[in-house]
């Protein structure tokens, strides 16, 4: 009989003997059953392997995994929670000021050209808006080396909701200001990752404003207080990274304001550190100031600092005027501000509209030692980013001493021995990487920036919650707070 072989060619095959057909059918049946059992076993093995990978995740794959315990899952939110907010910013330009125009270059703003030698030969300098962190952090998270698309493998979950930008467009509109955050919670609570994990306790988002912009005592529609209620209702189970904590809610954690410097490589950072280390400091102290809030002069330490700075030949001050509808300083360019900070040994940082200010971080990038007048300006904030030994990198003069006893700021600073000043400045220079955000389009290799430190802080926080520590809605217990917060330290430097 002619049949086709496996190559399609015809070949002659002898006829079967009588009775061979029955034996062939029995053999074929046995083979079929064996094949079926093999396929069943293969399917069970494949399914078991899938379940192992899905539920154990990369973090359980052994000690050689560099991302073990560091995986983060990021929601793919509907664009109404992020991209559409930016796209529609022109519609509410009166609320946004110039923030809308400053979100180019992955949120960094326009690149800064050299101005008088301040940035000569340096890369990574941008005219960054202080409230642009929502976009900067999101773009950086998209390139996070331990990002995973399997939530079961993640140690924490990132929610890329642009809460800061949402506040900018609707904070004065009582009917609309809560809409997006309320809608977000409806969306989140319907997700598998929310309900089957920790009810949001392992979730976090970034809101690039102060915590007070998201906090108000009441969250009813008739409440006319400032804030959109995010910290009270929508995000009460989540951790929220803000530019300044309220120190009330417990779930909002302070991270540094964006500065003008966004390096693209380790070399950019090291080169800048060497540059500020070699600067000749011709001024004892410097102060960049904007118009203050409408508060009684007897409780406003900033006015007293201004008065002392103007009266001292050792103090250089830049008065900063604001344009209508804008929160930015237009009197002086970033180059002017950074030039001033590079020439001073100490930079005065009294509270302004809130406890702290962006100037703290701009001055530290310039290698200038910050002088604080309130413990909440830094010591009770930025606990992940700044040392617990406050006097290693800063000077503290309590505001009451300046307001009530008219203590001389200049006398306090001049009393610090030169060798101590050098040690403090070196500590500030070492801290530069931890208070800057690298360019989201690149990546530092060995240096940790403010983003890296913040992510580590969140991962450690979630790990503590998973370990069963006593936390209230993600809120640290009292043991989390630094000891002796308000111990007076001015006597360390004050002349006798």
């Amino acid at each position: 009989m002619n049949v086709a072989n496996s190559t399609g060619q015809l070949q002659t095959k002898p006829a079967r003997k009588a009775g061979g057909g029955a034996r062939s059918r029995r053999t074929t049946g046995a083979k079929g059953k064996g094949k079926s059992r093999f396929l069943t076993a293969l399917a069970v093995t494949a399914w078991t392997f899938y379940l192992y990978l899905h539920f154990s995740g990369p973090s359980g794959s052994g000690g050689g995994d560099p991302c073990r315990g560091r995986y983060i899952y990021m929601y793919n939110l509907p664009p109404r929670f992020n991209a559409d907010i930016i796209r529609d910013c022109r519609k509410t330009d009166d609320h946004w000021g110039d923030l809308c125009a400053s979100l180019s270059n992955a949120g960094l703003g326009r690149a800064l050209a050299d101005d008088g030698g301040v940035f000569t030969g340096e890369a990574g300098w941008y005219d960054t808006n202080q409230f642009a962190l929502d976009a900067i952090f999101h773009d950086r998270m998209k390139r996070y080396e331990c990002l995973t698309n399997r939530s079961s493998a993640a140690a924490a979950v990132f929610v890329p909701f642009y809460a800061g930008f949402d506040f900018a467009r609707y904070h004065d509109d009582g009917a609309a200001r809560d809409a997006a955050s309320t809608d977000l919670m409806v969306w989140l609570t319907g997700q598998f990752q929310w309900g089957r994990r920790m009810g949001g306790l392992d979730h976090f988002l970034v809101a690039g404003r102060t915590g007070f912009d998201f906090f108000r005592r009441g969250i009813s529609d008739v409440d006319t207080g400032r804030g959109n209620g995010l910290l009270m209702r929508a995000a009460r189970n989540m951790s929220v990274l803000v530019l300044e904590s309220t120190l009330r809610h417990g779930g909002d954690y302070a991270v540094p304001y964006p500065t003008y410097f966004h390096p693209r490589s380790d070399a950019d950072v090291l080169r800048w550190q060497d540059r500020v280390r070699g600067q000749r400091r011709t001024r004892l102290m410097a102060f960049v100031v904007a118009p203050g809030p409408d508060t009684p002069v007897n409780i406003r330490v900033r006015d007293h600092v201004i008065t002392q700075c103007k009266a001292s030949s050792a103090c250089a001050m830049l008065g900063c005027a604001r344009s209508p509808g804008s929160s930015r300083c237009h009197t002086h360019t970033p180059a002017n501000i950074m030039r001033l900070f590079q020439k001073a040994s100490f930079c005065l940082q009294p509270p302004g509209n809130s406890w702290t200010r962006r100037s703290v971080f701009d001055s530290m990038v310039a290698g200038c030692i910050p002088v604080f007048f309130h413990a909440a300006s830094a010591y009770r904030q930025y606990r992940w980013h700044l040392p617990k030994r406050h006097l290693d990198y800063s000077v503290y003069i309590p505001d009451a001493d300046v307001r009530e006893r008219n203590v001389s700021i200049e006398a306090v600073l001049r009393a610090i021995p030169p060798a101590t000043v050098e040690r403090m400045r070196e500590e500030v220079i070492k801290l530069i990487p931890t208070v800057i955000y690298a360019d989201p389009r690149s990546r530092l290799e060995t240096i940790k920036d403010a983003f890296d430190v913040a992510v580590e802080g969140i991962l450690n926080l979630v790990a503590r919650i998973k370990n069963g520590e006593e936390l209230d809605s993600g809120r640290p217990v009292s043991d989390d707070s630094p000891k002796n917060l308000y111990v007076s330290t001015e006597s360390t430097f004050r002349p006798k």
Side-chain angles (χ1 to χ4, degrees):
M1 179 174 63
N2 295 332
V3 296
N5 63 11
S6 59
T7 62
Q9 296 175 334
L10 292 178
Q11 62 179 8
T12 303
K13 191 172 184 179
R16 293 190 181 94
K17 295 180 181 180
R23 287 194 301 272
S24 176
R25 286 191 294 272
R26 285 195 296 271
T27 301
T28 301
K31 289 182 178 179
K33 291 180 181 178
K35 184 175 181 180
S36 176
R37 285 195 295 270
F38 172 76
L39 291 176
T40 300
L42 184 62
V44 170
T45 301
W47 182 245
T48 301
F49 183 66
Y50 167 78
L51 291 177
Y52 169 78
L53 287 180
H54 185 73
F55 289 102
S56 66
S59 59
S61 60
D65 184 359
C67 288
R68 184 175 185 178
R70 298 173 55 225
Y71 284 100
I72 291 180
Y73 176 82
M74 180 171 65
Y75 281 115
N76 183 21
L77 291 182
R80 67 181 182 274
F81 294 119
N82 41 50
D84 288 352
I85 295 177
I86 291 180
R87 187 177 300 112
D88 295 340
C89 69
R90 298 292 182 191
K91 298 179 181 178
T92 54
D93 195 54
D94 57 329
H95 288 176
W96 285 65
D98 57 359
L99 177 59
C100 188
S102 62
L103 295 179
S104 59
N105 292 314
L108 305 182
R110 65 177 181 87
L112 290 174
D114 179 53
D115 188 349
V118 178
F119 309 127
T120 301
E122 303 295 343
W125 289 88
Y126 295 85
D127 188 12
T128 304
N129 191 290
Q130 63 177 336
F131 298 129
L133 188 59
D134 296 36
I136 295 173
F137 203 99
H138 186 198
D139 282 333
R140 183 71 183 280
M141 185 59 75
K142 292 176 183 177
R143 296 164 176 81
Y144 177 58
E145 63 272 17
C146 295
L147 202 63
T148 178
N149 58 5
R150 287 183 287 112
S151 60
S152 59
V157 179
F158 177 54
V159 182
F161 169 49
Y162 288 175
F165 297 154
D166 179 60
F167 169 85
R169 63 176 180 170
Y170 289 141
H171 68 278
D172 290 328
D173 189 337
R177 62 183 174 182
D178 291 344
S181 56
T182 302
D183 186 17
L184 174 70
M185 285 310 299
V186 172
W187 189 91
L188 281 176
T189 53
Q191 302 304 304
F192 169 86
Q193 293 82 0
W194 182 279
R196 294 295 299 274
R197 287 175 64 94
M198 299 172 65
L201 292 176
D202 57 351
H203 286 48
F204 72 102
L205 61 82
V206 174
R209 308 281 301 201
T210 70
F212 288 104
D213 289 333
F214 306 100
F215 180 91
R216 68 179 190 267
R217 296 186 183 280
I219 53 175
S220 66
D221 292 338
V222 297
D223 180 17
T224 58
R226 183 177 177 86
N228 65 5
L230 179 72
L231 293 182
M232 299 186 64
R233 177 173 56 191
R236 60 178 175 265
N237 275 12
M238 291 187 283
S239 297
V240 183
L241 302 185
V242 291
L243 300 180
E244 179 181 338
S245 172
T246 61
L247 302 179
R248 297 178 182 178
H249 173 70
D252 54 324
Y253 299 88
V255 295
Y257 279 82
T259 67
Y260 301 117
F261 186 36
H262 306 280
R264 304 167 188 167
S265 66
D266 291 10
D268 289 346
V269 178
L270 298 174
R271 185 167 53 249
W272 180 256
Q273 287 176 305
D274 286 341
R275 178 167 183 156
V276 297
R277 187 178 286 117
Q279 284 289 330
R280 182 170 174 263
R281 309 278 168 171
T282 59
R283 293 279 190 163
L284 177 67
M285 52 187 175
F287 189 25
V288 173
V289 61
D294 295 328
T295 55
V297 68
N298 63 317
I299 65 172
R300 192 167 62 211
V301 69
R302 179 161 57 177
D303 286 353
H304 294 270
V305 175
I306 292 173
T307 299
Q308 288 202 29
C309 185
K310 287 182 176 179
S312 172
S313 61
C315 186
M317 187 175 75
L318 287 179
C320 184
R322 292 175 177 170
S323 299
S326 173
S327 62
R328 306 198 68 192
C329 173
H330 291 275
T331 305
H332 301 286
T333 66
N336 286 339
I337 295 171
M338 295 304 294
R339 183 183 296 108
L340 178 69
F341 287 155
Q342 290 179 61
K343 290 181 178 180
S345 292
F346 299 96
C347 289
L348 310 181
Q349 305 295 351
N353 297 318
S354 56
W355 283 317
T356 191
R357 51 214 304 264
R358 173 200 174 135
S359 175
V360 170
F361 304 101
D362 286 332
S363 65
M364 292 180 69
V365 170
C368 191
I369 301 167
V371 180
F372 298 115
F373 300 84
H374 197 291
S377 292
Y379 306 152
R380 296 191 69 188
Q381 311 275 353
Y382 317 112
R383 289 177 289 170
W384 299 336
H385 295 79
L386 298 178
K388 293 182 179 179
R389 292 172 55 93
H390 311 312
L391 297 186
D392 285 352
Y393 74 96
S394 67
V395 177
Y396 176 46
I397 307 175
D399 60 349
D401 288 347
V402 177
R403 289 186 291 105
E404 299 171 10
R405 291 183 284 277
N406 200 30
V407 166
S408 169
I409 300 171
E410 180 178 349
V412 172
L413 299 181
R414 287 197 183 280
I416 305 176
T420 302
V421 174
E422 289 298 323
R423 286 196 300 270
M424 296 172 72
R425 180 180 301 118
E426 184 59 31
E427 187 65 27
V428 170
I429 293 173
K430 290 178 181 178
L431 287 173
I432 290 176
T434 66
V435 299
I436 59 176
Y437 297 91
D439 190 323
R441 298 161 297 185
S442 60
R443 180 179 156 191
L444 304 183
E445 296 297 329
T446 62
I447 294 176
K448 294 180 180 179
D449 71 341
F451 171 90
D452 296 317
V453 175
V455 168
E456 284 186 359
I458 285 292
L459 293 174
N460 290 336
L461 178 68
V462 173
R464 292 175 52 207
I465 297 174
K466 290 180 178 179
N467 286 337
E469 293 195 32
E470 186 178 353
L471 299 174
D472 179 12
S473 298
R475 179 175 304 155
V477 293
S478 58
D479 289 343
D480 271 358
S481 300
K483 303 299 183 184
N484 302 319
L485 285 176
Y486 289 97
V487 169
S488 179
T489 59
E490 74 278 11
S491 59
T492 304
F493 299 132
R494 178 176 294 173
K496 295 180 181 179

